[in-house]
Amino acid sequence: MKKIKLITLSLTAFFAVNINAMTLNEAVDIALKNNFDIQGKKYDYIESLENVKSNKSNFMPKLDLGYSYLNRDDANIGELEEEAAASIALSYNLFNGFKDLALTQSSNFLSESSQYSLNAIKQDIVLNTKIAYIDFLDKKNELETYKSALKLFQEQFVDSMNRFEQGLIAKNDLLQVQVNTSSAKQNVVKAQGALKVSKHKLSNILGGIDLTYEVIEDLDEKSLQISSFDEKLLDNRSEIQALNMNLKSIKELEKSVKSGFLPKVDASISHNKYFDGLSTKSFDEGEENQNIAKLSASWNLYNGGYDSAQTEIYKTKYLSAISLLNKTKLDIKLQYESAKSDLEVAIDNLETSKLALLQAKENYSIVKNRFAEGISTSTDLTDANYLLTQAQQGFNRAYFDKYLAISTLDRIFEKNSY
């Protein structure tokens, strides 16, 4: 019966651990949901939608209610000491030089630009999450590598101590192994600190969730597949589309300013009712109700050159935006060439590091056997340990570099789904 309980507890612990295991895809999903940069961009996009609604309101009529009360302490002949008036007026702008149309179009383009910017930040967060996730795995493997090196040095120290007591090696050889063991311990401590920092960085990009009890799973080899990339698709990047929308918005703002050179036409109708003071009693004489229809037109002939200056300002902004667009296109092209080169280098390095790791393992095994037979020295075994550690780190780095290069290319062509 005790054995059954023990097995049950073990299975419970096993499933508890695996419940908290996190994959890369799960980390990306959490980041897209919780990341504060994305949340900020979402609010910017919502604000842009409200700006569209705000500008569209200019096409709607305006309805106003009014009430006024007047009290004179010394009324003149023909005036009342108290009088009040209530009115309801409906007004509509018939023409204002197409300003409202231009402002609405501008806000529409800015809203589309904001949406593209939101898409861009999501793509950035996906890549940054992968970078942080991979950095954690890299730091974890680095710690394991240093622990393995420390273990080998500790075994070497025990063996060297026995040899020293037997008079087979000199004391300086023993001290050298002891120093190397202490140095290996320091490497382990540093790697442990780096791993903690890396986990905090991953937590931050995931919105600050607690990763204390989370198990970060290794990468899936299947996810290392390289996609096909067409350089012509770089112009479809969200950043470029956002800038294109911004250009269109500036053009519409320039049109809105030019509307100042055209006349404006407004129409209104109102109903007015007059009262004798604060009471609801209408005047005894004259018209107690008044309906007014009004059509007015105005044309500003000169306003100090304000409209002309604003037009030039928007032309300058347009040229500046074009420069930014061209620079962004060049930057994206450079990103692509750099990432493509990084992938080619990473693939070559991975193959080279695989061979180097196999050779380092075989070399350490040979030197260790020769050391046991008294053929190789303690220094030879130390050097073999260092070579093995470097080869293991080189392989890990090349493996992760390949995945990072693939992830970067996916980001450049916006192939990350969310």
Side-chain angles (χ1 to χ4, degrees):
M1 188 69 179
K2 290 182 178 179
K3 290 183 178 180
I4 294 175
K5 288 183 177 180
L6 182 60
I7 292 173
T8 303
L9 289 173
S10 298
L11 288 173
T12 302
F14 172 80
F15 286 117
V17 169
N18 281 272
I19 286 175
N20 293 326
M22 179 184 293
T23 65
L24 176 59
N25 289 335
E26 290 171 344
V28 169
D29 291 339
I30 293 172
L32 290 172
K33 180 180 178 182
N34 297 338
N35 186 267
F36 293 114
D37 289 331
I38 292 178
Q39 292 179 12
K41 281 295 182 181
K42 282 182 178 178
Y43 292 133
D44 290 343
Y45 176 59
I46 293 173
E47 179 184 344
S48 71
L49 293 177
E50 294 303 319
N51 283 332
V52 173
K53 293 180 182 179
S54 175
N55 283 289
K56 284 183 176 180
S57 67
N58 293 324
F59 293 100
M60 304 300 292
K62 306 295 186 291
L63 183 64
D64 296 283
L65 287 173
Y67 178 82
S68 65
Y69 168 74
L70 181 64
N71 186 302
R72 300 182 178 90
D73 59 353
D74 188 10
N76 294 323
I77 299 175
E79 292 181 338
L80 297 174
E81 291 185 357
E82 287 185 294
E83 61 181 280
S87 65
I88 181 170
L90 182 68
S91 60
Y92 189 74
N93 173 256
L94 298 177
F95 181 72
N96 70 343
F98 305 108
K99 181 177 181 179
D100 293 335
L101 179 61
L103 289 176
T104 300
Q105 285 291 88
S106 175
S107 63
N108 279 326
F109 289 133
L110 283 179
S111 179
E112 290 184 50
S113 176
S114 180
Q115 186 175 31
Y116 280 120
S117 295
L118 175 59
N119 293 338
I121 196 66
K122 285 181 178 180
Q123 291 288 338
D124 286 338
I125 293 304
V126 170
L127 176 60
N128 291 338
T129 302
K130 290 180 178 181
I131 291 174
Y133 192 98
I134 291 171
D135 181 68
F136 175 82
L137 293 179
D138 186 29
K139 295 296 190 295
K140 185 180 74 170
N141 285 358
E142 187 176 71
L143 175 59
E144 292 173 353
T145 300
Y146 281 131
K147 283 183 176 180
S148 177
L150 174 60
K151 182 180 178 181
L152 294 178
F153 275 125
Q154 288 172 335
E155 292 175 354
Q156 184 181 352
F157 177 73
V158 172
D159 189 58
S160 297
M161 177 64 75
N162 294 331
R163 289 172 178 268
F164 172 72
E165 291 174 351
Q166 296 173 14
L168 298 176
I169 62 172
K171 187 174 183 179
N172 66 313
D173 291 334
L174 176 63
L175 292 175
Q176 183 182 8
V177 176
Q178 191 172 11
V179 170
N180 290 332
T181 303
S182 298
S183 178
K185 287 181 180 178
Q186 291 177 343
N187 289 335
V188 170
V189 173
K190 289 179 182 178
Q192 288 173 337
L195 182 62
K196 289 181 181 178
V197 172
S198 180
K199 198 165 193 175
H200 283 304
K201 289 180 179 179
L202 178 60
S203 173
N204 283 354
I205 202 169
L206 298 182
I209 68 171
D210 187 5
L211 296 177
T212 303
Y213 302 105
E214 290 285 353
V215 177
I216 310 301
E217 292 191 356
D218 291 331
L219 297 176
D220 184 4
E221 289 284 349
K222 295 179 181 179
S223 61
L224 279 174
Q225 301 299 321
I226 302 175
S227 304
S228 58
F229 303 105
D230 185 359
E231 189 176 342
K232 296 178 182 178
L233 298 177
L234 291 176
D235 286 340
N236 295 334
R237 276 278 292 267
S238 293
E239 292 90 338
I240 292 178
Q241 297 302 322
L243 290 173
N244 282 329
M245 293 299 107
N246 188 50
L247 282 172
K248 292 180 179 180
S249 172
I250 294 174
K251 270 296 183 185
E252 293 300 324
L253 289 175
E254 184 183 345
K255 291 180 183 178
S256 73
V257 173
K258 288 180 178 179
S259 67
F261 298 104
L262 298 174
K264 296 173 179 53
V265 181
D266 295 279
S268 65
I269 56 173
S270 63
H271 174 72
N272 304 276
K273 191 174 183 65
Y274 304 97
F275 301 95
D276 185 3
L278 291 174
S279 68
T280 58
K281 181 181 178 182
S282 300
F283 289 148
D284 295 332
E285 298 178 359
E287 294 292 337
E288 62 180 43
N289 296 326
Q290 191 175 39
N291 296 317
I292 300 175
K294 181 180 179 182
L295 181 67
S296 63
S298 62
W299 195 348
N300 175 261
L301 299 179
Y302 180 70
N303 65 349
Y306 175 82
D307 293 332
S308 298
Q310 288 295 309
T311 301
E312 290 302 315
I313 288 174
Y314 283 118
K315 286 182 178 179
T316 303
K317 285 186 175 182
Y318 186 81
L319 294 175
S320 176
I322 288 180
S323 298
L324 180 58
L325 175 61
N326 292 332
K327 180 181 179 300
T328 302
K329 288 181 178 181
L330 290 176
D331 289 341
I332 290 175
K333 179 68 180 303
L334 179 60
Q335 289 175 6
Y336 168 64
E337 295 296 338
S338 178
K340 185 172 64 172
S341 176
D342 288 344
L343 179 59
E344 293 171 354
V345 172
I347 292 174
D348 290 340
N349 284 344
L350 184 58
E351 294 302 317
T352 303
S353 63
K354 284 180 181 179
L355 179 59
L357 181 57
L358 289 174
Q359 291 172 340
K361 287 180 178 179
E362 185 177 359
N363 177 65
Y364 184 83
S365 178
I366 292 173
V367 174
K368 185 177 181 180
N369 292 333
R370 290 169 62 87
F371 178 76
E373 296 172 1
I375 301 174
S376 295
T377 65
S378 178
T379 302
D380 294 332
L381 188 59
T382 298
D383 292 341
N385 192 351
Y386 278 128
L387 286 174
L388 179 59
T389 301
Q390 291 175 353
Q392 183 65 57
Q393 289 178 332
F395 171 76
N396 292 338
R397 185 69 265 159
Y399 176 82
F400 290 129
D401 282 347
K402 179 181 177 181
Y403 192 89
L404 285 174
I406 294 173
S407 300
T408 301
L409 283 169
D410 286 340
R411 171 20 193 143
I412 289 173
F413 287 89
E414 297 187 339
K415 292 199 172 185
N416 296 312
S417 58
Y418 48 82

